[in-house]
Amino acid sequence: MVYRETITSAITFYYLFNGMFREGEETLTFDFADSNLVEVEESLEKEFQGTARKFDVDLDNFDEENNYAEILVGFTVWPYEDDDSEIAIIVNTIHDELEKVGFIEDDRYFVGDGPDNR
């Protein structure tokens, strides 16, 4: 996809979080795990209210046998305002919100950017 990035335009950063939902939850299904992520998205929207950010939290992959999940998170970034420390705050807040719904993170990494998703 082609998009124009200008100094005043917002872009979307995408991070992939790998890990496992609470061990011992034998009844955890894709749908239940996905519904937990709706709560995470709403919490993030409230946490960063007033910063003109949008968050998309999607369950990319889920193995029901061992509760292993890949969660793709997209969020609005303002390149002319946000420095590395602001991005780190956002990513750490995402980690904390995922932890609240029982997600135990193994790894996370930046997967790319794209046009503003708002």
Side-chain angles (χ1 to χ4, degrees):
M1 181 180 286
V2 177
Y3 64 98
R4 293 192 181 273
E5 183 180 333
T6 66
I7 194 162
T8 59
S9 65
I11 59 174
T12 302
F13 273 14
Y14 295 96
Y15 277 79
L16 189 65
F17 291 78
N18 297 311
M20 181 178 293
F21 278 95
R22 286 183 229 72
E23 293 185 57
E25 289 276 342
E26 294 178 15
T27 60
L28 188 63
T29 63
F30 181 94
D31 292 334
F32 186 73
D34 195 43
S35 68
N36 283 337
L37 298 182
V38 172
E39 292 177 33
V40 170
E41 190 173 307
E42 290 172 355
S43 294
L44 291 168
E45 295 280 346
K46 287 179 187 173
E47 178 76 24
F48 291 96
Q49 189 173 358
T51 61
R53 294 194 200 283
K54 174 159 177 33
F55 291 87
D56 289 316
V57 182
D58 298 309
L59 188 56
D60 195 42
N61 190 15
F62 183 68
D63 182 354
E64 289 185 10
E65 281 186 32
N66 61 16
N67 296 346
Y68 188 80
E70 292 179 342
I71 300 169
L72 183 63
V73 180
F75 58 92
T76 306
V77 174
W78 297 93
Y80 63 95
E81 289 181 5
D82 298 333
D83 59 10
D84 290 341
S85 64
E86 182 69 23
I87 302 301
I89 290 169
I90 294 168
V91 172
N92 287 330
T93 304
I94 293 167
H95 166 84
D96 293 345
E97 291 298 326
L98 288 171
E99 205 171 59
K100 287 179 184 176
V101 295
F103 183 73
I104 303 164
E105 181 183 313
D106 287 338
D107 190 22
R108 77 177 97 134
Y109 55 92
F110 176 74
V111 292
D113 60 23
D116 185 12
N117 65 354
R118 291 174 303 138

